[in-house]
Amino acid sequence: MTHFVLDVIDMTEFRSILPANPKKYEEYKDKIPKGVSIESVINISITEHFPWDDLYLKYMLERLFLIGDVDNKEKHRFNNHLE
């Protein structure tokens, strides 16, 4: 399992963390150390680990009705080994 703590992201780029509370943001933004940029997070590499279930979860989420494209036939199909 991979665990990533969102609080490491800089609160000026990612506002969905506790220190980015809209009522305290102006007060906190100069007191709290700058976090990691979203671009840096995107470029992080994890080596010697390939979580197949995470890949399948990604494929599933891409096709969920509310957030994905359930009818897209170009997306990964599940249970191909059963067909």
Side-chain angles (χ1 to χ4, degrees), residues 2 4 38-51:
T2 301
F4 181 75
I38 291 175
E39 196 62 35
S40 293
V41 171
I42 291 168
N43 290 313
I44 291 174
S45 296
I46 298 173
T47 60
E48 295 187 30
H49 178 70
F50 192 88

Side-chain angles (χ1 to χ4, degrees), residues 5-82:
V5 179
L6 297 174
D7 288 344
V8 302
I9 301 174
D10 188 73
M11 73 176 195
T12 61
E13 291 186 31
F14 188 73
R15 299 289 304 271
S16 296
I17 57 176
L18 183 60
N21 177 336
K23 294 179 182 175
K24 296 285 190 173
Y25 179 76
E26 289 300 319
E27 175 187 342
Y28 287 164
K29 74 177 182 179
D30 296 323
K31 292 180 182 178
I32 295 175
K34 184 168 176 57
V36 177
S37 72
I38 291 175
E39 196 62 35
S40 293
V41 171
I42 291 168
N43 290 313
I44 291 174
S45 296
I46 298 173
T47 60
E48 295 187 30
H49 178 70
F50 192 88
W52 286 103
D53 289 333
D54 289 350
L55 180 64
Y56 296 144
L57 178 62
K58 173 189 176 291
Y59 291 153
M60 181 189 72
L61 292 172
E62 287 175 345
R63 295 186 55 218
L64 281 180
F65 178 72
L66 292 175
I67 61 173
D69 183 358
V70 70
D71 295 321
N72 188 336
K73 302 302 182 210
E74 294 179 19
K75 304 257 183 184
H76 181 81
R77 301 293 297 174
F78 289 90
N79 298 325
N80 286 343
H81 64 283
L82 301 175

